Each structure stands twice: as C-alpha cells, then as structure tokens.
C-alpha cells in the first residue's frame, strides 16, 4: 500500500509545481528576451513538464541564424514535443471533438502548434526533409479537422523542393523528378479536398471565410508547381485569384513573368516586393538575387552592383549573404570588373549558406558558383587576348593563359559532372529561363559552347516547336544559330541570324544582353564571309547596345583615337599601351571615336574618357581615371573605353 500512496503524493506535488509554472508563465511571450532564462527556470522546477523546453527551444529557434543554431534547437523542441504528447495525448486526439472542448484547451493546442512549427522550420532550414515528412505525417495521425499546421501544402513543398533526389537518399521520395512532382500536386489537391470535406463544421466554428483563406494557401503552391511544370495558363489562373484577395507573392509572380519573357513586368513586381516586410530577417530575400539579373539583361550593370551591395550591407552575414554575393559577382562580371567579381564569388564559396524561405537548394548554390567560375575564367582568358593583341608572342602572357585554361578545364569538368548527375538539368539550364533556376541564359551558353555543338543546335531547334513561350523563342533561335556557327555551319548560322535580325520584335530596353549577343554573333559570322561593311555595322550596334561585351568577344573593332591635354613621357607610354590592344586604331572611314584628355592633378594625372559610336551616340561620357604611374593605365583605359566600371583612383597593383 506504500507505493500507491507515494505515487499519489508525487502526482500531487507535480500538479502543484505545474500549476506554479503555468501561473508564472502568464505574460511571457515565446519571442520575449527572457524566454530562455524563464524556460530553464521552469525546467529546474519540473524537468518532466514540457513548458520549460518549449520556451528554451523556441528561443533558440527564433534566435538562430546559422546551421549550428537550428541544430541545437532541435533536441530541445523534440523533448518539448515528446513530453507534451506523453501528458496530453488524449487531449490532442480529442481536440476537435466539439467547440467547447477546443476553446477550453486552445492554449495547449497553441503550444503544440508552436513546438511542431518551430521543429519543422529547424528541420527545413538545415536540410532534413525526411524529418520534416516524418513530423508532418505524425501530426496527421491526430486528425485535426482544420489544417492549422499546413500539413498538405508543406508536404507538397517538401516533395517539390527535393524533387531531384530519390528514395535512395530520402525514403519518402519517389524515384524521378516527374514522380515527385506528381506527389506534390497530389498533396495540394488532397488538401483542397480536406478543406471542402470539413468546410461545414469549420464555417460554424471559425467563420464563413475560413475555407477561402485555407484554399489560398494551397493556391500559392499550385501557382508555383504549375509554373515549374510549364502549365503557364494554370499558373496564371492561381496567381490571378491570389492577387484578387491580396495574398499573392509578388516575388514569385515576378519569377513567373521572367520565365515567360516579360522582363519589364518582372522588374516591376520584384521591385514591389523589395518594400515588403518578410517573415524574418534570417531568410533569403529573393528579389535582391533576381532583380540584379534583370538589370544585367537590361545593360544596367551599375544598378545591379549597387542593389547587391546594398542588401549585403543591410543583411550582414545572416542567411542570404552567399546568394547576394553570387548576385554581386555576376553584376561585377558584366561590368568588366573581374577582380571584384572573383572576390565576391570567393566569399560566396566560403560561406555556409542556409536556404531559408526559398525553393533554392544547396545543390543549386554550388552549381551556380561553379558555373560563374567557368564564366569568369573564360572572361579572364579573353581579357588577356584583348589587352595583348600579339599574345601568342609573349611567353609571360602565354604562361598566364595556359594557367587560366587549366583552371577553366577543371572548373568546367566539375560543373559538367554536377550537371550530368542533376535530373533537373533540362529545366534548370537547357530551358534558359526558369523561375526556380539560379543561373542565366548567358551563363548556360558558357557551359554548353565547348561541348557537342551539333547536339545542342538540334536541341534548340526542337525547342522552337515544343516550348510554348513566345517571348523565349528568339533565345532558342539565337542559340541554334550560335551552335551552328560553333559547328562550322557558317552559312546556316548566317541565314538564321539574318532571320532573327529581320523578324524579331522585343523589349529593347530590357533585353540588351540578348541584342548584344545577337550583334556579337552577327559580327563574327560576317567576318567569316569577309563582309566588312556588315561586320562594322554590327560591331557599332554592339558598342551602342552592350559595350562591356566587346573585350570578351574576340572582336577587333575599328576606332579613331583622339588625345588632348598634356603630352609627356607618361601619356605617350599610356598611348603606346593602347595601340597594343585588340582595337584596330584607324583614321579612315566613319568609325567610333575615342577621346582621351590628360591633365595633371597635383602629383597625379587624370584621364577623361569619352566614346562616341559611328552614329555619334555617346557610349562613354566623361569617365574619369586618376593615376600616379603609367603602369597598366593604358590597359585599364582600354577596358573603360567599353564601359568598364571601377574606382576613379586607379590601383596600379592590378595585373593584366
């Protein structure tokens, strides 16, 4: 008889301690700064009661900004969940038995929701999708009649986000991208059916509009899924409904607009989302990654750099830092600042990124860094050729080039291996535009151009009949023509390029990169046919449209050089450096004009650079460069002639 008496006494004592904890807990929010010390205090009072672990675990989750933080929160939250289920399992199972019971025990239900939601987020944030699915499936066993937990759309999201993997890695997955996508759709439609099935009782308990709010949550994911699966009419249908009720993600809609080639609209909607307050600071703010891409398409490389730098300064080293540095690297690259591009890319490579609040993944992160490195090395090689027109006679330049080519070969190999083992490569790379891709159509070219041009020419020929996106057709045609050129079919390439040039209507303000690549391809092709007039014509259009491409295009453009101001040994040395670059300096014919005015500024020099096209269009306007010694200044000026950015004061330690 002693044991039951002791058990009863212990139970009474525990009940008193828990009553004390509940009383002291009143007024404490999970997000309060003193939640952690109060949680630990409650754990000391009663280590078998869930409340202390809830406060501690939620505090750690809420204050996490890196992998270790979320990892440390998981066991505490898991303990809170297990202890709560141990003590309140019957209550949870009967939570929706009637409205009075739910109302009476709603605070306990809210605690359970907070524990499970924080635990799910921790699993998600450190890439543990199997644990996410296990948790969601476990919650589903309670058969709550209203899906406060988002069980259906979270499972759909988890399948979609991990679609490239199979059951070999995560047992819950299917064994192909398409099968995983079908599961994502299945959960969305099952979620809508669940909402409708319980609509009558939930309308009585929570109000008549409750079902609509739940439907809209799932519509958000259906819009994303249909866009990814290229069902653009269906995607637009759901986005339209979401917009009507003020529930649309302008960021996602902007990605949809980018994918179908409405670049002006995409800019508008990404900008709209810039001012929206996000659900937390420790998430990737996707507009700051994707808007710089659109600025690059539009030739607004300085705007891309400024936007990327702005978010990096605001964000610091929180999640998103790596992605923003990738965007910055890309922006510098198209502004011809290759050293700055490499520095930003290295920062991204060295950063342990968390992919929070996004479908973007670690695999995409690594692939994007590697692909940009291929792009960067390719540009470095072309820059050497541009700055040293007789590079094959210079042992020093040949050595630098051999080293860069070896580095590029290794980077290309790694990137191609990643691509070969990615079952989603068609969608992420070959389709050229995808709202969930992290690379651009131009970067895709740098990867594919060195491999099997005949295969890719046919591939992009086929895209023109199988892909429904009218505004992307011109990109497929350009790629087909460029691959035919690479395969030595110059006549076919010329005919295809002339067709594009004659019959294409596009957004000239926001598709300057496309136009630049088109004019570049036309110039190279007409060179093969020794058509100097057409070659010069498209060189000039390229200069007017996207001059930063010229130093990396292996195009020798004819220009007239005019110098003014002081003349001394320094300025003569700089002028001599300019003559050694891959620019055909001439005084004959109607050609673009480069004007350089040298003056002294104390113990320094200043060069003012102006460039006008053969149509008298101002390409570079009063670009300033201040320097002390002439070493490498001529090479820097040669790049700034074509719109390269950079500091006004030249760092003479730069090597070329």
């Amino acid at each position: 008889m002693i044991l039951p008496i002791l058990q009863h006494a212990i139970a009474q004592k525990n009940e008193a301690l828990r009553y004390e904890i509940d009383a002291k807990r009143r007024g404490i929010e999970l997000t309060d700064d003193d939640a952690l010390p109060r949680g630990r205090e409650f754990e000391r009072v009663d280590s078998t009661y869930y409340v202390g672990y809830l406060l501690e675990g939620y505090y750690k989750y809420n204050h996490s900004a890196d992998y270790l933080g979320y990892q440390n929160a998981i066991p505490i939250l898991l303990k809170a969940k297990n202890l709560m289920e141990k003590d309140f399992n019957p209550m949870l199972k009967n939570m929706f038995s009637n409205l009075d019971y739910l109302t009476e025990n709603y605070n306990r239900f809210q605690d359970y929701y907070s524990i499970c939601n924080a635990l799910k987020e921790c699993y998600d944030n450190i890439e543990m999708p199997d644990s996410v699915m296990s948790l969601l499936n476990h919650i589903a066993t309670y058969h709550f009649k209203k899906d406060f937990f988002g069980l259906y759309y979270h499972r759909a999201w988890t399948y979609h986000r991990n679609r490239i993997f199979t059951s070999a890695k995560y047992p819950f997955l299917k064994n192909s991208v398409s099968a995983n996508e079908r599961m994502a759709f299945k959960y969305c439609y099952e979620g809508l059916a669940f909402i409708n099935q319980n609509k009558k009782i939930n309308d009585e308990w929570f109000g008549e509009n409750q079902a609509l709010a739940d439907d809209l949550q799932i519509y958000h994911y259906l819009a994303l899924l249909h866009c990814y699966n290229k069902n653009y009419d269906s995607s637009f249908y759901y986005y339209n409904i979401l917009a009507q009720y003020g529930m649309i993600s302008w960021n996602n809609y902007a990605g949809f607009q980018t994918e179908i080639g409405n670049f002006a609209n995409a800019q508008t909607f990404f900008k709209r989302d810039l001012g929206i307050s996000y659900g937390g600071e420790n998430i990737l703010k996707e507009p700051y990654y994707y808007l710089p891409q659109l600025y690059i398409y539009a030739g607004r490389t300085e705007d891309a750099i400024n936007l990327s730098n702005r978010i990096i300064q605001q964000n610091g080293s929180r999640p998103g830092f790596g992605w923003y540095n990738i965007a910055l690297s890309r922006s510098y690259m198209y502004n011809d600042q290759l050293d700055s591009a490499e520095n930003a890319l290295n920062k991204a490579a060295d950063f342990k990124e968390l992919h929070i609040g996004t479908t973007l993944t670690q695999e995409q992160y690594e692939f994007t860094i590697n692909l940009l490195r291929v792009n960067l090395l390719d540009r470095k090689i072309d820059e050497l050729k541009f700055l040293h027109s007789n590079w094959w006679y210079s042992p020093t330049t040949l050595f630098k080039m051999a080293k860069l080519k070896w580095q590029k070969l290794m980077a290309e190999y790694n990137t191609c291996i990643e691509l070969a083992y990615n079952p989603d490569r068609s969608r992420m790379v070959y389709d050229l535009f995808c709202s969930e891709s992290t690379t651009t159509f131009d970067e895709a070219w740098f990867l594919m151009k060195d491999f099997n041009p005949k295969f890719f020419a046919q591939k992009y020929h086929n895209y023109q009949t199988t892909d429904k996106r009218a505004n992307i057709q011109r990109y497929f045609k350009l790629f087909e023509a460029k691959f035919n050129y690479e395969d030595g079919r110059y006549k076919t390439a010329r005919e295809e390029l002339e067709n594009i040039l004659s019959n294409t209507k596009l957004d000239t303000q926001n598709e300057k990169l496309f136009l630049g690549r088109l004019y570049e391809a036309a110039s190279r092709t007409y060179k093969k046919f020794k058509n100097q007039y057409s070659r010069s014509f498209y060189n000039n259009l390229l200069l007017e449209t996207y001059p930063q491409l010229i130093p990396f295009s292996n195009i020798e453009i004819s220009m007239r050089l005019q110098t003014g101001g002081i003349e001394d040994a320094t300025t003569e040395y700089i002028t001599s450096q300019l003559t050694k670059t891959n620019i055909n300096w001439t005084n004959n014919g109607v050609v673009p004009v480069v004007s350089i005015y040298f003056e002294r500024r104390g113990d320094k020099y200043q060069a003012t650079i102006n460039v006008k096209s053969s149509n008298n269009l101002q390409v570079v306007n009063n670009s300033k460069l201040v320097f002390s010694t002439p070493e490498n200044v001529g090479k820097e000026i040669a790049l700034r002639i074509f719109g390269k950015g950079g500091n006004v004061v030249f760092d003479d330690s730069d090597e070329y």
Side-chain angles (χ1 to χ4, degrees):
M1 296 296 295
I2 296 175
L3 185 58
I5 293 173
L6 285 174
Q7 287 178 332
H8 179 69
I10 291 169
Q12 284 184 319
K13 181 181 178 182
N14 285 346
E15 187 175 344
L17 292 174
R18 293 181 179 189
Y19 181 84
E20 176 188 346
I21 290 172
D22 289 340
K24 287 182 177 180
R25 181 193 169 185
R26 293 191 187 100
I28 301 175
E29 299 292 335
L30 294 177
T31 54
D32 286 350
D33 288 338
D34 64 344
L36 179 62
R38 298 308 298 271
R40 287 174 173 168
E41 175 192 339
F42 296 157
E43 291 168 22
R44 288 192 295 270
V45 172
D46 185 352
S47 62
T48 65
Y49 194 33
Y50 78 90
V51 171
Y53 303 102
L54 163 60
L55 291 172
E56 180 186 358
Y58 199 93
Y59 179 92
K60 288 184 174 180
Y61 151 72
N62 196 46
H63 287 76
S64 293
D66 57 21
Y67 186 96
L68 190 60
Y70 291 111
Q71 187 182 52
N72 288 339
I74 286 173
I76 311 299
L77 289 167
L78 198 56
K79 188 165 187 176
K81 171 184 164 293
N82 292 339
L83 288 174
M84 186 173 187
E85 288 178 345
K86 179 181 177 183
D87 290 336
F88 297 98
N89 196 52
M91 177 189 293
L92 291 170
K93 286 188 173 181
N94 292 294
M95 188 63 67
F96 284 79
S97 57
N98 61 71
L99 183 57
D100 289 339
Y101 193 81
L102 175 63
T103 304
E104 179 185 350
N105 296 290
Y106 188 75
N107 287 339
R108 297 294 183 194
F109 180 75
Q110 186 65 40
D111 281 351
Y112 189 66
Y113 171 83
S114 298
I115 293 168
C116 291
N117 185 64
L119 186 56
K120 184 201 77 67
E121 290 295 313
C122 288
Y123 287 146
D124 249 338
N125 294 345
I126 60 173
E127 309 296 340
M128 297 176 65
D130 47 349
S131 297
V132 171
M133 286 299 290
S134 177
L135 176 63
L136 294 173
N137 291 336
H138 173 74
I139 297 169
T141 63
Y142 285 107
H143 302 293
F144 298 133
K145 292 180 182 177
K146 184 170 174 63
D147 189 13
F148 288 103
F149 294 83
L151 300 178
Y152 291 96
Y153 60 76
H154 281 312
R155 283 184 282 195
W157 163 273
T158 304
Y159 268 100
H160 176 61
R161 192 166 182 269
N162 296 279
R163 61 190 176 273
I164 68 170
F165 303 117
T166 67
S167 58
K169 183 163 187 176
Y170 300 120
F172 72 90
L173 287 172
K174 303 302 178 183
N175 290 319
S176 69
V177 171
S178 58
N180 286 326
E181 286 297 293
R182 286 194 294 273
M183 288 300 296
F185 276 113
K186 172 179 174 288
Y187 274 116
C188 283
Y189 293 128
E190 284 183 359
L192 293 175
F194 177 85
I195 293 166
N196 186 60
Q197 175 187 338
N198 294 283
K199 183 177 184 303
K200 182 177 179 181
I201 188 169
N202 284 331
D203 280 351
E204 293 174 4
W205 289 15
F206 303 104
E208 292 184 358
N209 292 323
Q210 60 82 31
L212 175 61
D214 290 351
D215 284 342
L216 291 172
Q217 292 270 26
I218 294 178
Y219 290 171
H220 168 82
Y221 291 94
L222 282 170
L224 289 173
L225 289 170
H226 279 298
C227 182
Y228 169 80
N229 286 275
K230 303 175 80 167
N231 304 321
Y232 299 118
D233 289 344
S234 297
S235 184
F236 180 75
Y237 168 80
Y238 286 112
Y239 276 127
N240 192 41
I241 295 174
L242 290 163
Q244 289 176 23
Y245 290 99
M247 293 290 289
I248 191 171
S249 163
W250 294 116
N251 164 62
N252 290 334
Y253 187 63
F256 166 71
Q257 290 293 317
T258 299
E259 181 164 333
I260 60 177
N262 294 335
F263 302 114
N265 288 348
Q267 280 193 37
T268 297
F269 293 120
F270 274 131
K271 287 176 185 174
R272 185 177 296 187
D273 212 39
L274 289 179
I276 291 178
S277 176
Y278 282 73
E281 289 301 314
N282 297 325
I283 65 171
L284 172 65
K285 302 172 180 67
E286 288 185 358
Y288 286 99
Y289 180 77
Y290 286 110
L291 193 53
Q293 283 187 15
L294 294 173
Y295 286 162
I296 288 168
Y297 296 165
R300 297 167 54 189
T301 55
E302 293 283 357
D303 290 337
I305 291 168
N306 292 337
L307 182 62
S308 298
N309 272 321
R310 189 177 97 196
I311 187 59
I312 288 169
Q313 291 169 3
Q314 291 175 359
N315 188 75
S317 59
R318 293 194 296 262
F321 176 82
W323 285 112
Y324 305 142
N325 270 285
I326 291 174
L328 181 62
S329 176
R330 178 184 290 118
S331 304
Y332 275 132
M333 210 176 296
Y334 283 87
N335 193 246
D336 297 356
Q337 298 188 58
L338 301 190
D339 288 345
S340 297
E342 185 170 27
N343 183 51
L345 195 62
N346 288 339
K347 285 182 180 179
D350 293 339
F351 183 69
K352 175 64 176 176
E353 184 63 278
L354 297 182
H355 314 283
I356 302 175
T358 177
T359 56
L360 309 186
T361 64
Q362 181 64 23
E363 287 72 24
Q364 287 179 290
Y365 185 76
E366 293 172 0
F367 176 76
T368 305
I369 290 172
N370 288 336
L371 182 51
L372 278 175
R373 203 170 296 283
V374 171
N375 195 328
L376 177 64
L377 290 166
D378 205 273
R379 286 170 182 266
K380 283 189 169 189
I381 293 167
D382 287 332
E383 184 183 70
L384 275 177
K385 293 179 180 178
F386 171 74
L387 294 175
H388 306 271
S389 58
N390 294 323
W391 56 270
W392 55 88
Y393 292 126
S394 169
T396 301
T397 306
L398 282 171
F399 176 77
K400 288 180 181 178
M401 194 168 295
K403 183 179 178 181
L404 288 170
K405 285 186 174 182
W406 175 253
Q407 291 173 345
K408 181 194 168 189
L409 181 64
M410 292 297 96
E412 217 164 34
Y413 175 79
N414 291 333
T415 309
C416 288
I417 291 295
E418 286 182 278
L419 187 67
Y421 283 96
N422 184 352
D424 209 19
R425 58 186 172 273
S426 290
R427 205 61 192 93
M428 294 295 103
V429 178
Y430 300 152
D431 281 3
L432 302 186
F433 294 92
C434 175
S435 61
E436 297 185 30
S437 175
T438 56
T439 58
T440 69
F441 77 93
D442 205 44
E443 290 154 13
W445 168 258
F446 276 90
L447 180 61
M448 292 184 283
K449 71 183 178 70
D450 294 328
F451 300 97
N452 202 339
K454 186 174 183 179
F455 168 82
F456 283 114
Q458 185 62 48
K459 188 174 190 68
Y460 285 102
H461 177 80
N462 294 341
Y463 264 114
Q464 294 164 46
T465 57
T466 60
D467 196 288
K468 297 180 281 188
R469 297 173 291 173
N471 287 343
I472 308 302
Q473 287 294 312
R474 51 184 166 269
Y475 291 84
F476 298 145
K477 291 176 181 177
L478 176 60
F479 268 51
E480 181 186 4
K482 290 175 70 173
F483 278 119
N484 278 325
Y485 177 92
E486 295 295 325
D487 198 37
R489 289 175 284 175
Y490 303 124
K491 184 178 179 181
T492 301
R494 184 185 64 183
E495 291 170 352
E496 290 167 343
L497 289 169
E498 287 174 345
N499 179 54
I500 300 170
L501 289 161
S502 301
N503 300 307
T504 299
K505 294 180 180 180
L506 74 165
D507 181 353
T508 56
Q509 289 301 308
N510 294 300
E511 294 184 74
K512 288 185 178 180
L513 183 55
F514 170 84
L515 285 172
R517 292 306 187 193
L518 176 61
Y519 299 150
E520 173 193 66
S523 172
R524 294 176 67 205
T525 303
Y526 283 119
K527 181 181 179 181
K528 289 292 181 183
F529 289 93
K530 297 181 171 55
N531 186 334
Q532 185 58 40
Y533 173 81
S534 294
R535 181 186 168 201
S536 298
F537 177 77
Y538 288 110
N539 282 349
N540 189 66
L541 283 179
L542 176 56
L543 178 68
E544 293 178 344
T545 304
Y546 218 121
Q548 294 93 340
L549 300 180
I550 291 176
F552 311 100
S553 296
N554 292 315
I555 287 175
E556 185 184 48
I557 186 171
S558 296
M559 307 183 92
R560 179 177 294 114
L561 177 62
Q562 297 176 345
T563 60
I566 65 169
E567 295 183 9
D568 60 15
T570 294
T571 60
E572 288 177 4
Y573 179 78
I574 292 169
T575 303
S576 71
Q577 282 186 328
L578 282 170
T579 62
K580 296 174 183 176
T581 61
N582 193 35
I583 300 172
N584 179 33
W585 299 109
T586 180
N587 292 318
N588 300 321
V590 180
V591 296
V593 177
V594 178
S595 300
I596 306 173
Y597 186 83
F598 294 105
E599 55 190 319
R600 292 299 296 261
R601 296 287 185 182
D603 61 345
K604 298 181 184 297
Y605 289 82
Q606 176 176 286
T608 302
I609 306 160
N610 283 279
V611 180
K612 287 187 177 181
S613 71
S614 58
N615 296 323
N616 207 35
L617 181 73
Q618 193 81 36
V619 176
V620 176
N621 186 29
N622 290 329
S623 175
K624 309 288 186 184
L625 188 67
V626 175
F627 55 94
S628 300
T629 61
E631 192 66 30
N632 290 324
V633 172
K635 296 172 184 177
E636 179 69 15
I637 289 176
L639 293 169
R640 298 214 181 194
I641 285 169
F642 299 102
K644 175 185 181 293
N647 294 328
V648 172
V649 178
F650 178 61
D651 181 1
D652 57 12
S653 66
D654 289 348
E655 295 185 7
Y656 292 98

